[in-house]
Amino acid sequence: MKKSIFALAFMMMLISTNLSAKSNPHPSSDSPTSIGMVIYSNDVETVWNAFRLANHSKTQGDTVQVFLLAKGVEVDHLVKENEDLKEQVDAFLEKGGEIQGCGTCLKSRKNNEPQVCTFSSLADLYIVIRKNKIVLTF
């Protein structure tokens, strides 16, 4: 009787472990993923931390796309004033990172020749959102 209770408990534990492993939608931290970052802030510290995370993610093997929206397109100006931010943005670009900027937002700020991002559209933002497994906003 004790053996059958032990066997039943052991089988229940195995089934439970197997089910929880199958229902876990999160990949292991060792497998690369795709990350989209939408930066809509012009706060230097916030943007700096976003690019720190982007650079760390790139070193982990993840693909990372950055889209600058609204006040976020001011990053193009902020890198001229803040060396720490410029260092993070340059490192991201050197690692093959892609930075897109909302064309409408850039034009409204009279920035027709951005240095750190490419002119992009709402359709490009939509692609960033649909294409990446993880989307973060800053």
Side-chain angles (χ1 to χ4, degrees):
M1 177 79 158
K2 285 183 182 180
K3 287 183 181 181
S4 46
I5 291 175
F6 175 75
L8 181 60
F10 183 71
M11 285 177 32
M12 295 288 284
M13 182 185 74
L14 287 177
I15 291 170
S16 173
T17 303
N18 191 27
L19 287 175
S20 67
K22 287 182 181 179
S23 67
N24 184 0
H26 304 292
S28 78
S29 61
D30 295 336
S31 61
T33 192
S34 60
I35 301 171
M37 293 185 173
V38 179
I39 299 175
Y40 62 91
S41 174
N42 62 357
D43 176 70
V44 173
E45 187 175 10
T46 300
V47 175
W48 177 71
N49 277 308
F51 277 101
R52 285 181 57 226
L53 177 60
N55 283 319
H56 177 74
S57 300
K58 293 286 284 175
T59 62
Q60 299 303 304
D62 298 331
T63 58
V64 180
Q65 287 183 291
V66 173
F67 194 96
L68 306 176
L69 184 66
K71 293 177 184 177
V73 299
E74 295 174 22
V75 166
D76 202 64
H77 179 71
L78 295 174
V79 295
K80 296 171 186 168
E81 298 176 350
N82 187 292
E83 188 61 35
D84 292 332
L85 178 57
K86 180 178 179 3
E87 184 179 301
Q88 290 299 320
V89 169
D90 288 347
F92 179 70
L93 292 170
E94 288 169 9
K95 291 176 181 151
E98 177 184 345
I99 305 175
Q100 298 177 325
C102 170
T104 303
C105 303
L106 286 163
K107 287 177 186 175
S108 74
R109 288 164 177 77
K110 297 179 181 24
N111 186 350
N112 296 317
E113 297 181 28
Q115 303 299 305
V116 300
C117 63
T118 58
F119 266 91
S120 302
S121 66
L122 188 66
D124 296 313
L125 174 58
Y126 177 78
I127 291 169
V128 168
I129 292 167
R130 294 286 299 181
K131 177 180 170 183
N132 291 287
K133 290 185 179 182
I134 299 169
V135 178
L136 304 171
T137 60
F138 294 89

